[in-house]
Amino acid sequence: MKVMISDFKEIMQKDNAVEIKLLKKNHPDWIVVTQPYDLKEQSAFFKELKDTDALITAFLPINKKILDAAPKLKLISVSAVGYEKIDLQLAQKRRVRVCAIGEYCTQDVAEFTISLMLALVKRLKQYDKLVSEEHRWEYDAFMAQPRLSRMTLGIFGYGRIGAAVAKMASALGMQVIAYSGHMGAGTIKDGIKFVTANELLTMADIVSNHMRATSENYHFFNIDIFKKMAQKKPYFINVSRGETVDETGLLMAIDNGIIRGAALDVLESETPDLVNNPLLQRNNIIISPHTAFYSQDSMASLQRISCQNVTSFFEGQSEKVFNFVD
């Protein structure tokens, strides 16, 4: 029995000792290997994959090429909530089960969203550069911003994370509105008023994206959508999935003053070009490396659940596997 832990080289954990210990706790004879997926040199990955029974990954694109190279594969345990990178139909055809993690980082992502919102509105990046690089001690170097309690937060996608962000923002005294394909405009839930997408785009001072990555939501935030924000010129936050935002359209919206700034925890690629990316080195754009989920508590849950799913499956206790998605 062989388990492989793998992800893109650039984002894979540097130490998988916790997962290895969890997997071997009741099965010391299991072979557990860690193998980064290097886009430039994939031979080592495919060599390990050929006799792998279970694959633990978060972001690898599980497509025909990978499934063809894994004839023994029986289970893919996704170390994340999202599983849009996996060809579920093909996996099902190959009789490879797929499970994901339903909940482990809601609180962390919500906290990070609020942190990004505060950093944008309070201009922390600009003030830090002003002092540390330009050596200027000027509180009024930038235009003063209104208090958060006078601002409206618009949330796209009202799942667990969107709801948690709404609760935190409400506690700060903000007015919160939301758009969800599952809630009709005019509905009130948790004290939050649901509106149409167009209403939100014209009413919000801050727009926060928490939508899932689906084919319908691919590049949902494009230049046409950003143009609808021109009335309020809001700040834009994305802690969801990079594919939901057209980065060219976002850059155009920022350059033309349609939005005031952006905070992005995700980009369209999980292996982005950080040398030539035009979104970098701008005072009104904050970019973090897909870290909103990352905390001591979330990582403990992530590691435990993804490994327990593998153990339960191969012990014949499929009923204990959390969230089969295939």
Side-chain angles (χ1 to χ4, degrees):
M1 168 66 189
K2 178 178 175 181
V3 182
M4 183 163 80
I5 303 170
S6 181
D7 233 309
F8 289 110
K9 180 181 69 171
E10 294 81 357
I11 60 175
M12 188 168 171
Q13 285 179 215
K14 296 177 178 64
D15 184 357
N16 295 101
V18 172
E19 289 96 328
I20 294 171
K21 183 178 179 179
L22 287 169
L23 290 164
K24 283 181 165 287
K25 181 179 179 181
N26 296 325
H27 300 280
D29 58 322
W30 282 9
I31 299 170
V32 182
V33 297
T34 59
Q35 178 59 58
Y37 183 82
D38 188 340
L39 286 168
K40 296 179 181 178
E41 176 48 63
Q42 301 174 15
S43 59
F45 169 83
F46 283 105
K47 181 179 179 180
E48 291 288 0
L49 185 64
K50 67 181 181 181
D51 60 347
T52 290
D53 298 281
L55 173 65
I56 298 177
T57 186
F59 299 109
L60 289 187
I62 307 301
N63 50 29
K64 185 176 185 298
K65 180 179 180 181
I66 286 180
L67 290 173
D68 281 348
K72 293 187 64 180
L73 190 64
K74 303 173 186 66
L75 179 72
I76 300 168
S77 180
V78 184
S79 294
V81 174
Y83 46 89
E84 65 276 357
K85 300 289 187 182
I86 298 176
D87 187 333
L88 293 179
Q89 288 187 335
L90 185 57
Q92 187 178 50
K93 182 185 265 189
R94 301 291 177 86
R95 296 185 179 180
V96 177
R97 299 303 309 270
V98 181
C99 54
I101 298 175
E103 157 58 28
Y104 74 101
C105 63
T106 294
Q107 184 75 9
D108 307 285
V109 177
E111 289 174 359
F112 202 84
T113 303
I114 297 297
S115 299
L116 292 176
M117 180 180 71
L118 288 166
L120 280 174
V121 174
K122 302 301 181 182
R123 299 184 185 273
L124 297 188
K125 183 175 182 178
Q126 289 101 316
Y127 277 119
D128 179 73
K129 182 179 180 181
L130 185 78
V131 175
S132 63
E133 296 184 21
E134 300 178 24
H135 311 300
R136 295 164 57 192
W137 193 261
E138 301 172 25
Y139 71 88
D140 57 352
F142 309 107
M143 184 180 296
Q145 297 292 294
R147 292 173 176 166
L148 286 175
S149 58
R150 289 181 49 212
M151 302 180 82
T152 297
L153 173 64
I155 295 175
F156 270 90
Y158 199 80
R160 283 186 295 266
I161 294 172
V165 171
K167 183 178 180 180
M168 293 180 187
S170 297
L172 293 172
M174 300 184 73
Q175 179 182 351
V176 183
I177 56 177
Y179 166 76
S180 171
H182 305 292
M183 302 290 287
T187 303
I188 305 292
K189 181 181 180 182
D190 305 326
I192 308 303
K193 182 179 180 181
F194 286 81
V195 296
T196 65
N198 285 336
E199 286 174 332
L200 190 151
L201 294 169
T202 59
M203 295 169 64
D205 299 295
I206 303 163
V207 175
S208 189
N209 175 34
H210 303 280
M211 298 192 303
R212 293 180 59 189
T214 64
S215 56
E216 294 80 11
N217 291 338
Y218 179 76
H219 280 187
F220 177 89
F221 291 97
N222 52 43
I223 188 57
D224 293 329
I225 289 292
F226 286 120
K227 283 180 179 178
K228 294 181 180 181
M229 303 180 189
Q231 181 177 329
K232 279 276 191 171
K233 294 181 171 57
Y235 294 101
F236 178 72
I237 299 171
N238 186 23
V239 294
S240 178
R241 286 289 187 260
E243 302 95 314
T244 60
V245 179
D246 176 5
E247 292 175 6
T248 301
L250 172 63
L251 194 63
M252 191 181 302
I254 289 175
D255 286 344
N256 287 280
I258 296 172
I259 60 176
R260 298 176 192 273
L264 312 170
D265 186 52
V266 286
L267 296 175
E268 287 195 59
S269 171
E270 281 295 336
T271 56
D273 179 357
L274 298 180
V275 177
N276 304 303
N277 195 317
L279 291 169
L280 299 177
Q281 308 304 324
R282 291 173 180 256
N283 283 340
N284 59 346
I285 301 179
I286 298 171
I287 299 179
S288 52
H290 203 159
T291 192
F293 74 95
Y294 189 58
S295 74
Q296 292 179 358
D297 303 279
S298 67
M299 289 305 295
S301 296
L302 179 71
Q303 292 163 328
R304 176 180 55 80
I305 297 171
S306 60
C307 291
Q308 186 60 53
N309 279 346
V310 174
T311 301
S312 296
F313 180 82
F314 285 97
E315 287 178 348
Q317 301 182 72
S318 293
E319 70 281 359
K320 292 185 179 181
V321 174
F322 189 82
N323 199 26
F324 277 118
V325 297
D326 55 333

